[in-house]
């Protein structure tokens, strides 16, 4: 739009977004890391005017990967020993070279970095901007890295095709501010919650009392059943003892052996 081009509501661009996924440990190609990077094609709704709807559409596009059960969280990725953001970006670039289901317009990689300051000697690292190389036939690549509570985004483009790359950077900043403004406005204009009427309160109270009565009745029935079972057990034992005593009284006496005289 900043170039004066017409963009309709259905306009979109396709991005290749490498995502981390769990590996099958029984696979002959399984690595020691237990994870792999797989290509994921994502539709970016650049023609949608509402920033909040754009975000929801992108979230919906990533849901299939999350529902697969193979997704790996950023914290898990960053905890893998020896993994640095540059390594993850490199894996993403390699994935971009693999065959995909359909063509894509740009590559976007995202790698979590350390969330504590990193030092080289006594000098702290203040920023980390990833530079993603361009793959064959593509004009734009975007990399994002988180570091020490901040997000750093690096843009790399063909200098002949993207002479206005600084405009894209400004548009990204404007889009983020637009999303924040939309969220704040949505919260500010949220209708207040209506107070419950007396009739509604009475219904809720009646349901609670009914549930309490049912619970008390169940407990009473269980207690009565337990007492009945205990009484039946005692009666059975008493009857068995009575029968044993009666049997003993009715049993014939055995004669004792007599003395032998010579």
């Amino acid at each position: 739009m900043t170039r004066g081009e017409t963009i309709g509501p259905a306009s979109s661009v396709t991005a290749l977004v490498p995502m981390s996924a769990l590996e099958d440990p029984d696979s002959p190609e399984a690595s020691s890391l237990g994870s792999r990077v797989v290509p994921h094609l994502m539709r970016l709704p650049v023609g949608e005017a509402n920033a909040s709807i754009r975000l929801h559409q992108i979230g919906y596009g990533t849901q299939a990967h999350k529902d697969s059960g193979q997704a790996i969280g950023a914290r898990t990725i960053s905890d893998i020993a020896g993994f640095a953001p540059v390594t993850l970006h490199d894996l993403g670039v390699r994935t971009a070279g693999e065959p995909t289901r359909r063509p894509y317009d740009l590559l976007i990689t995202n790698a979590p970095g350390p969330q504590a300051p990193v030092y080289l000697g006594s000098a702290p690292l203040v920023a980390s901007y990833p530079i993603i190389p361009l793959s064959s036939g593509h004009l734009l690549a975007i990399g994002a890295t988180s570091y020490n509570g901040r997000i750093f985004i690096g843009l790399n483009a063909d200098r002949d095709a993207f002479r206005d790359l600084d405009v894209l950077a400004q548009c990204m900043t404007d889009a983020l501010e637009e999303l924040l403004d939309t969220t704040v406005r949505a919260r500010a204009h949220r209708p207040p919650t209506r107070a419950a009427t007396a009739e509604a309160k009475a219904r809720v109270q009646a349901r609670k009392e009914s549930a309490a009565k049912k619970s008390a009745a169940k407990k009473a029935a269980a207690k009565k059943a337990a007492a009945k079972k205990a009484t039946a057990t005692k009666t059975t034992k008493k009857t068995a003892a009575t029968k044993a005593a009666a049997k003993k009284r009715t049993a014939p006496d055995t004669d004792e052996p007599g003395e032998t005289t010579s």
Side-chain angles (χ1 to χ4, degrees):
M1 295 174 65
T2 56
R3 292 177 172 179
E5 299 177 1
T6 302
I7 296 179
S11 299
S12 65
V13 295
T14 302
L16 177 66
V17 184
M19 293 188 175
S20 297
L22 294 173
E23 265 186 334
D24 183 2
D26 298 329
S27 172
E29 299 179 356
S31 65
S32 59
L33 298 174
S35 64
R36 59 194 176 93
V37 178
V38 296
H40 182 78
L41 293 175
M42 174 70 63
R43 174 183 170 273
L44 305 181
V46 295
E48 173 57 53
N50 189 294
S52 181
I53 295 179
R54 289 199 300 267
L55 179 62
H56 283 296
Q57 290 181 355
I58 293 174
Y60 180 80
T62 60
Q63 192 63 41
H65 180 64
K66 296 177 182 178
D67 293 341
S68 68
Q70 300 297 312
I72 302 177
R75 183 179 297 275
T76 303
I77 297 173
S78 61
D79 288 343
I80 297 176
F83 253 40
V86 62
T87 306
L88 297 174
H89 285 300
D90 179 64
L91 292 175
V93 172
R94 294 182 185 181
T95 303
E98 299 177 2
T100 56
R101 298 190 307 272
R102 62 180 187 271
Y104 61 92
D105 301 305
L106 73 156
L107 170 66
I108 301 177
T109 65
N110 173 32
Q115 297 308 303
V118 176
Y119 294 84
L120 178 61
S122 59
L125 176 66
V126 297
S128 176
Y129 291 95
I131 302 299
I132 309 301
L134 297 176
S135 56
S136 176
H138 295 90
L139 306 177
L140 176 64
I142 301 176
T145 296
S146 60
Y147 167 65
N148 198 22
R150 300 177 63 188
I151 299 292
F152 298 91
I153 299 176
L155 306 178
N156 188 22
D158 183 283
R159 66 177 62 189
D160 294 326
F162 275 90
R163 296 181 180 275
D164 53 354
L165 189 59
D166 57 330
V167 178
L168 175 60
Q170 183 60 47
C171 288
M172 295 175 67
T173 302
D174 295 342
L176 179 59
E177 293 179 353
E178 180 187 3
L179 179 60
L180 293 175
D181 291 342
T182 302
T183 305
V184 171
R185 286 199 303 270
R187 291 179 179 177
H189 291 83
R190 181 178 298 173
T193 303
R194 294 182 300 174
T197 62
E199 183 180 355
K201 290 181 179 179
R203 287 197 299 268
V204 173
Q205 185 62 28
R207 284 196 294 268
K208 289 183 179 180
E209 292 177 356
S210 177
K213 289 180 180 179
K214 290 181 180 179
S215 178
K218 288 182 180 180
K219 290 181 180 179
K223 187 175 181 181
K224 186 177 180 180
K228 185 176 181 181
K229 184 177 180 180
T231 303
T233 302
K234 290 180 180 178
T235 303
T236 303
K237 289 182 179 179
K238 187 176 181 181
T239 302
T242 302
K243 289 182 178 180
K247 185 176 181 181
K248 186 176 181 180
R249 287 196 299 270
T250 57
D253 295 335
T254 58
D255 294 334
E256 295 180 359
E259 296 180 355
T260 305
T261 58
S262 54

